Amino acid sequence: MGASDEELMLAYAGGDAGAFEALYAKHKGGLFRFVLRSVKTRGEADEIFQDVWMRAIEARERYRPQAKFATWLYTIAHHRLIDHWRARGLAVASLDDDERPVEEPAAAPDVEPERIAVASQMLERLAAAIAALPLAQREAFLLHQESGLGIAEIARATGTNEEAAKSRLRYAMNKLREAIGDD
Amino acid sequence: MTDGDDKLARRYRELAREEPGAALDAAILAASRRPARRASFASRWAAPVSIAAVLVLAFGLTLEMRQEEPGVETSVPAPRREAPPPVQRAEPAEKPKPLARERLAPAEPQPKTAPQAFPAQSAGALKAPAAAREEKVPVEAPREETRAPAADLQRAPAAAPPPASPPAAGAARIAPESLNPAPAARAKSLAAPAAQSPVDAELERIAGLRAQGRDAEADAALEQFRRDHPGYTIPDAMWDRVKPR
């Protein structure tokens, strides 16, 4: 059994560049998709994704394994995304607003044209439904799917309580199941 | 996890195949191999110096407030004992009231001029109200008077009318007050930085830069703040003040 993420990060802080490469290889896909589905364009996703890793790199000496590495990494991503949303006039307070069309379904095809083009109709509907979720619900769903975080860790990463995290995830999954006809 | 959840997760996996580009991978891995950036002298010492300053201010403020609290702390009577009663004034005993007013009325604006007072002057200033007190208060009970001036006022209502009581009660504290005027205002100004954490102070500094229109410096400072505190959520109100324009 290999070293845990936390051990790898500590090894990296101690000067082992290879440890970071292992961490990056493990988490880059999930983090990238988490960011990609939280913003509108791939350009924004690239910028935020790189910024999150840069912050993790710069914080290496201050890293303390008080939680799972993934929780720490996605907490950084969450904060970076909050900055991004705020800069675009989206109030963080309205993250839970279920009524507000945060990202209109019509915007979904613009998110990833090439991906949507090759996807099946059902997957198209799923992608559109994910894009249409309120920010907080979408974030909870993506954290659950992409990082494998549990309810408690999602709550910690997003700075909320477990009940709220659980509720957001449940709402999101119900909506998505409905969207792909699995209801 | 329910069967529906599993199915949804499978569908999502079919959808989720995006990866960062090779150029992005290369840039991040290259950055990871660079040695850790050493904090500058200023940023290395900013936090300890801020904390030390806050502690010193808080300690000074506490001492100051203890000294100024009448009738509670044991340190209050001390200056009174050090200030010996002035030479017995041969004031005519038949006119105690006008004298007290004459002396105490000009004493009221004294705090305004006190900032310029030097210790020597304040020693002189100590004499006047002390003399006024001499006329009003029985000599045999000075300590009791400092502890409960209201009781003394009741005992000698004619000599110490209510409007004159604040300066009279403050006679023992004149020296510290004249050295450190306007304690309430100063306490307010000291309390504000004392309550601020280094993180808040840094955000305030950035907000200040932003308010002055020094956006480039504010952007750089905000970026640095983000690097130094990647896990810190800037409150909405503060974000409105520091966010990039």
Side-chain angles (χ1 to χ4, degrees):
Chain A
M1 191 172 163
S4 69
D5 288 352
E6 294 75 36
E7 289 167 341
L8 285 172
M9 189 61 192
L10 288 174
Y12 173 55
D16 181 0
F20 180 83
E21 287 171 20
L23 273 177
Y24 182 71
K26 182 175 175 184
H27 291 282
K28 68 172 184 175
L31 181 65
F32 184 74
R33 289 187 290 274
F34 168 69
V35 173
L36 180 64
R37 289 194 168 75
S38 301
V39 298
K40 280 196 170 184
T41 67
R42 177 142 189 155
E44 288 172 326
D46 283 350
E47 182 189 334
I48 294 171
F49 174 77
Q50 182 170 10
D51 205 21
V52 171
W53 281 108
M54 290 303 177
R55 289 180 188 185
I57 289 168
E58 288 179 6
R60 67 186 124 169
E61 291 186 326
R62 299 190 299 275
Y63 174 75
R64 299 287 177 271
Q66 292 162 341
K68 285 172 70 173
F69 170 79
T71 308
W72 181 71
L73 181 66
Y74 281 85
T75 302
I76 296 174
H78 167 76
H79 287 137
R80 181 61 182 83
L81 282 169
I82 285 183
D83 287 352
H84 174 81
W85 292 326
R86 279 167 161 169
R88 276 146 192 79
L90 293 175
V92 180
S94 62
L95 284 176
D96 265 333
D97 188 354
D98 205 21
E99 304 303 316
R100 187 176 55 87
V102 176
E103 303 290 333
E104 295 78 6
D110 298 331
V111 173
E112 260 314 319
E114 57 272 25
R115 171 171 57 78
I116 301 299
V118 296
S120 69
Q121 218 177 9
M122 189 271 296
L123 291 181
E124 255 184 70
R125 285 203 307 273
L126 177 57
I130 291 171
L133 287 174
L135 291 177
Q137 292 176 21
R138 184 171 56 201
E139 188 177 41
F141 173 76
L142 293 174
L143 282 171
H144 184 60
Q145 294 296 327
E146 295 293 357
S147 68
L149 296 183
I151 298 292
E153 286 129 355
I154 291 173
R156 183 169 181 156
T158 55
T160 187
N161 59 53
E162 289 189 29
E163 279 306 308
K166 188 175 180 179
S167 164
R168 289 170 181 176
L169 181 60
R170 182 53 50 199
Y171 272 111
M173 295 189 86
N174 286 343
K175 284 179 187 171
L176 296 179
R177 271 201 302 270
E178 195 176 331
I180 61 174
D182 274 357
D183 198 24
Chain B
M1 189 178 251
T2 66
D3 197 39
D5 291 346
D6 285 338
K7 197 169 175 185
L8 177 60
R10 275 202 308 278
R11 297 289 185 216
Y12 180 75
R13 292 278 156 241
E14 291 174 41
L15 182 71
R17 293 193 188 120
E18 302 91 341
E19 293 281 333
L24 204 48
D25 287 346
I28 292 168
L29 290 174
S32 76
R33 288 185 210 105
R34 283 197 286 272
R37 188 170 52 88
R38 291 280 152 209
S40 68
F41 180 82
S43 61
R44 206 166 46 234
W45 285 100
V49 168
S50 303
I51 290 167
V54 166
L55 287 176
V56 167
L57 284 173
F59 182 69
L61 186 62
T62 307
L63 276 183
E64 185 75 20
M65 292 178 80
R66 284 170 66 92
Q67 282 173 0
E68 288 171 4
E69 188 76 26
V72 175
E73 260 62 43
T74 53
S75 58
V76 171
R80 179 164 164 70
R81 242 187 286 160
E82 285 166 13
V87 180
Q88 297 295 326
R89 296 173 65 89
E91 298 290 344
E94 62 273 13
K95 284 185 176 181
K97 269 188 186 176
L99 253 179
R101 279 203 193 105
E102 265 179 30
R103 256 173 218 294
L104 297 173
E108 281 178 355
Q110 218 169 16
K112 287 181 191 165
T113 56
Q116 288 87 34
F118 291 104
Q121 289 171 320
S122 66
L126 188 65
K127 279 181 187 173
R133 181 186 301 278
E134 194 68 33
E135 294 163 3
K136 293 176 282 180
V137 181
V139 182
E140 59 274 13
R143 283 177 142 269
E144 200 176 326
E145 181 242 3
T146 54
R147 255 182 279 121
D152 286 334
L153 289 177
Q154 282 175 352
R155 264 186 280 156
S165 62
R173 305 194 309 268
I174 283 180
E177 273 178 10
S178 61
L179 288 172
N180 304 301
R186 196 156 28 81
K188 212 176 273 183
S189 69
L190 288 175
Q196 250 183 2
S197 71
V199 170
D200 292 336
E202 178 60 13
L203 288 171
E204 280 296 341
R205 189 180 72 81
I206 297 170
L209 289 173
R210 195 70 78 192
Q212 291 166 21
R214 293 155 68 184
D215 284 336
E217 288 173 65
D219 289 344
L222 184 59
E223 187 61 28
Q224 182 61 44
F225 179 87
R226 272 301 184 206
R227 291 182 203 292
D228 291 343
H229 309 282
Y232 182 80
T233 304
I234 302 174
D236 284 345
M238 179 56 78
W239 174 255
D240 287 340
R241 297 171 57 203
V242 303
K243 69 183 176 188
R245 303 281 186 245

